[in-house]
Amino acid sequence: MLNVPSQSFPGPSSQQRVSSGGRSKVPLKQGRSLMDWIRLTKSGKDLTGLKGRLIEVTEEELKKHNKKDDCWICIRGFVYNVSPYMEYHPGGEEELMSAAGSDGTDLFDQVHRWVNYESMLKECLVGRMAIKPAFPKDYHEEKRLLNGMLPKSQVTDPLAKEGPSSPSYDWFQTDALVTIVIYTKQKDINLDSVIADHRDDSFRAETVIKDYSYLIHIALSHEIQEDFSVRVVENVGKIEIVLKKKENTSWKCLGHPLENHNSLIPKKDTGLYYRKCQLISKEDVTHDTKLFCLMLPPSTHFQVPTGLHVYFKLTITGTEIVKPYTPVSDSLFSEFKEPVLPNNKYIYFLIKIYPAGLFTSELDHLQIGDYVSVSNPEGNFKISQFQDLEDLFLLAAGTGFTPMVKVLSYALTNIPSLRKVKLMFFNKTEDDIIWRSQLEKLAFKDKRFDLEFVLSVPTSEWNGKRGYISPALLSEFLKRSLDTSKVLICICGPVPFTEQGMKLLHDLNFSKDEIHSFTA
């Protein structure tokens, strides 16, 4: 539903967009950019119509405000007057009006739940809904059994009852260590499934179980050192998080529970959690694309699974702006990696810099040592799609290549059934091709990998393929190694590219199960 204006997300040629059949982008009038909206919110003008008052809003009152020039919308219990925002919304007035005078939370979540609406619309806040949300009984107080164990987690959403079995946790200690043990009752848990952060005296460990999130969230009773370790016993689904005590004293309890502690809820209902990552390096890859290296805090365990993305959050002229990026490897060749800090402490991103873009120009101005807030992983790519895979086809345009980096590496390294991987990489010119020499070396080194470049604005010397995504190009490219081969096609690029590609793939009779479109 609500979206940030065009300079924030998505950029005019960004690969990160809602998939085909999703929302349409509406051209904005002159003077209706993101910066124009930020200026308006800082002008002191009354954008709520209430002269600075905050009110409690009943359902009956909310329903009255359902017109274009008087449009109130509720998101997660807070009501906003979005009438001033109508002309600045790239999704168009119609998209906002579909939630006028009602609770638009579900519609908002369907389109882009990551948008930082609290910051974007803070000057439009009318007040809170009169009906208070109901919290589970153990929200503020948890019954403790011997040594801190609570056998059954509290299910905070009725839908969670249809999900996986509810995990449990326990803890024990030695003179120097405290170990938190999570029993997930699942056999497909690995280190990628666990995200843990220690901040001040708060310890937060989220475990992703299928489409659900199990959260341990505790204010620890004693201080611990910055670094901790995470181990997973995959065959039984047991997670061990080992904390180092600052003082060798006996803990009487682990701590007291914080918000949503010991809860199992659908992943789609969890908010985005950020930690500050330090910029370690940035280097030119092409004339307008750079490789950024960020380092995680020592008090974080965090690995982004193949095919998922994260969100960057920056404060620009006083407003928090959010944009999605897909992590890559630092190189297509593992032997080129230098033995510096452990690889799981670094995250790499290939980012195209738009000189007139608000977000990427701000990223480009960051100095080594500056910080960027990075969210937990998001996305719907399932590694199970690789099971028994024989042919993998990758269709990428521009920076739509970024999700393909880890997909390509994972497939060639971990899929024994794989016969062929083919990448068709669309760009404007030869200078735009990201990691061209590395891709060509990989194709030479691994005979399973084939590579084709397609340029839309080539020089006269170019001997390769030319043009745009088309039936002729795809029908020639998408040939199975065997008639019965199991196939997966991944596609990512600017919106027109992805939408046209999806249509052509369906016309070529590939099923939905054989196609994955990377969007955010």
Side-chain angles (χ1 to χ4, degrees):
M1 187 191 65
L2 295 177
N3 190 13
V4 291
S6 56
Q7 287 92 331
S8 177
F9 174 72
S13 59
S14 169
Q15 79 272 21
Q16 306 285 5
R17 275 303 297 251
V18 177
S19 58
S20 180
R23 66 197 305 272
S24 299
K25 191 175 177 184
V26 176
L28 298 175
K29 297 177 183 177
Q30 187 75 21
R32 295 297 183 268
S33 69
L34 172 60
M35 281 305 303
D36 294 314
W37 172 250
I38 292 174
R39 290 189 193 101
L40 178 60
T41 63
K42 309 230 179 265
S43 67
K45 185 175 180 180
D46 178 18
L47 300 182
T48 65
L50 298 176
K51 298 180 180 178
R53 291 184 299 122
L54 291 177
I55 63 174
E56 280 199 337
V57 182
T58 63
E59 288 188 21
E60 292 74 19
E61 181 66 23
L62 179 62
K63 289 176 183 177
K64 295 176 185 176
H65 301 272
N66 60 0
K67 302 177 181 63
K68 176 184 171 183
D69 58 353
D70 181 21
C71 180
W72 290 9
I73 293 174
C74 173
I75 306 177
R76 295 191 177 91
F78 291 92
V79 179
Y80 299 88
N81 179 1
V82 298
S83 300
Y85 184 59
M86 287 282 180
E87 292 187 343
Y88 297 83
H89 179 55
E93 297 172 0
E94 183 179 344
E95 192 174 87
L96 289 177
M97 288 303 296
S98 63
S102 67
D103 190 328
T105 304
D106 288 344
L107 184 58
F108 172 83
D109 286 343
Q110 287 172 19
V111 179
H112 34 230
R113 70 186 187 91
W114 51 268
V115 170
N116 196 338
Y117 63 90
E118 297 100 326
S119 179
M120 290 295 299
L121 298 175
K122 61 185 176 183
E123 299 302 327
C124 301
L125 179 63
V126 171
R128 186 192 292 269
M129 288 298 292
I131 300 174
K132 299 292 191 296
F135 293 105
K137 290 181 181 178
D138 72 329
Y139 182 74
H140 295 295
E141 185 172 274
E142 178 187 81
K143 293 180 180 179
R144 292 190 183 87
L145 298 183
L146 182 63
N147 214 17
M149 183 175 181
L150 189 70
K152 293 184 178 179
S153 73
Q154 304 301 312
V155 179
T156 60
D157 189 302
L159 289 178
K161 293 176 183 176
E162 302 169 7
S165 298
S166 193
S168 61
Y169 79 97
D170 195 359
W171 69 281
F172 57 89
Q173 62 182 310
T174 64
D175 287 344
L177 304 173
V178 169
T179 301
I180 301 172
V181 183
I182 300 171
Y183 304 95
T184 68
K185 305 169 188 174
Q186 305 291 321
K187 292 187 177 181
D188 55 353
I189 300 297
N190 53 45
L191 283 174
D192 288 353
S193 307
V194 187
I195 305 153
D197 294 271
H198 174 236
R199 186 178 298 171
D200 299 324
D201 67 342
S202 168
F203 187 80
R204 187 182 191 280
E206 179 181 354
T207 304
V208 178
I209 304 171
K210 297 183 169 65
D211 294 323
Y212 287 78
S213 168
Y214 175 67
L215 183 65
I216 297 292
H217 194 194
I218 295 173
L220 297 173
S221 61
H222 293 71
E223 290 186 351
I224 62 171
Q225 297 180 36
E226 276 193 330
D227 59 319
F228 56 85
S229 63
V230 179
R231 298 195 295 259
V232 174
V233 185
E234 295 188 20
N235 59 339
V236 295
K238 184 173 76 169
I239 299 164
E240 295 181 349
I241 303 172
V242 182
L243 313 177
K244 300 176 184 177
K245 295 178 179 179
K246 271 200 172 177
E247 297 180 356
N248 292 350
T249 57
S250 178
W251 293 19
K252 293 183 180 179
C253 67
L254 186 59
H256 67 266
L258 298 174
E259 185 177 4
N260 292 329
H261 170 62
N262 203 36
S263 65
L264 177 70
I265 60 177
K267 188 75 172 70
K268 64 181 179 62
D269 294 337
T270 61
L272 290 177
Y273 184 83
Y274 291 86
R275 76 278 303 143
K276 289 187 175 180
C277 298
Q278 190 174 33
L279 179 63
I280 298 301
S281 66
K282 55 180 175 178
E283 58 185 65
D284 293 336
V285 176
T286 70
H287 63 98
D288 62 0
T289 302
K290 297 187 178 183
L291 181 67
F292 287 72
C293 175
L294 300 180
M295 186 170 68
L296 291 164
S299 52
T300 291
H301 168 84
F302 175 84
Q303 297 179 21
V304 182
T306 298
L308 300 194
H309 57 271
V310 297
Y311 294 102
F312 283 10
K313 181 170 66 175
L314 290 175
T315 299
I316 302 175
T317 62
T319 299
E320 289 182 341
I321 308 298
V322 178
K323 234 191 144 178
Y325 291 102
T326 304
V328 299
S329 309
D330 59 336
S331 167
L332 286 174
F333 299 96
S334 58
E335 61 264 32
F336 290 170
K337 292 180 181 176
E338 296 179 5
V340 279
L341 290 176
N343 291 329
N344 61 7
K345 287 295 182 183
Y346 286 114
I347 319 178
Y348 296 87
F349 298 89
L350 285 167
I351 299 175
K352 184 174 182 178
I353 306 300
Y354 297 90
L358 183 65
F359 197 91
T360 58
S361 60
E362 190 76 13
L363 269 181
D364 196 31
H365 287 139
L366 291 178
Q367 302 297 308
I368 303 304
D370 287 347
Y371 288 86
V372 178
S373 292
V374 178
S375 79
N376 284 5
E378 293 277 307
N380 59 3
F381 185 84
K382 304 293 185 187
I383 209 74
S384 58
Q385 295 174 98
F386 283 143
Q387 188 172 350
D388 301 323
L389 187 67
E390 294 166 279
D391 293 330
L392 176 62
F393 298 102
L394 308 175
L395 302 170
T399 49
F401 169 66
T402 56
M404 308 305 180
V405 173
K406 284 192 172 182
V407 167
L408 178 61
S409 175
Y410 184 92
L412 289 173
T413 306
N414 297 288
I415 310 302
S417 57
L418 196 67
R419 289 194 179 96
K420 181 68 69 176
V421 182
K422 297 178 72 175
L423 169 66
M424 183 172 276
F425 194 2
F426 294 80
N427 287 278
K428 287 184 179 180
T429 69
E430 286 186 78
D431 291 340
D432 293 319
I433 301 174
I434 298 171
W435 280 355
R436 179 179 179 178
S437 62
Q438 290 197 39
L439 286 167
E440 289 174 338
K441 287 176 184 176
L442 181 60
F444 177 79
K445 175 184 174 185
D446 195 319
K447 300 308 178 185
R448 294 172 298 170
F449 178 51
D450 284 344
L451 174 67
E452 294 184 19
F453 297 119
V454 183
L455 301 182
S456 58
V457 190
T459 62
S460 56
E461 290 80 21
W462 176 250
N463 294 320
K465 288 185 167 61
R466 302 165 179 251
Y468 300 89
I469 192 167
S470 66
L473 280 175
L474 292 188
S475 58
E476 180 185 348
F477 178 72
L478 299 171
K479 290 181 178 176
R480 301 173 189 255
S481 56
L482 295 174
D483 290 342
T484 57
S485 292
K486 181 179 177 182
V487 167
L488 178 64
I489 304 169
C490 296
I491 182 169
C492 188
V495 181
F497 170 86
T498 302
E499 292 183 347
Q500 177 67 5
M502 293 290 285
K503 179 181 181 300
L504 293 176
L505 292 174
H506 290 307
D507 290 346
L508 290 169
N509 296 318
F510 288 99
S511 69
K512 288 183 179 180
D513 292 339
E514 294 176 320
I515 305 169
H516 182 86
S517 173
F518 284 101
T519 56

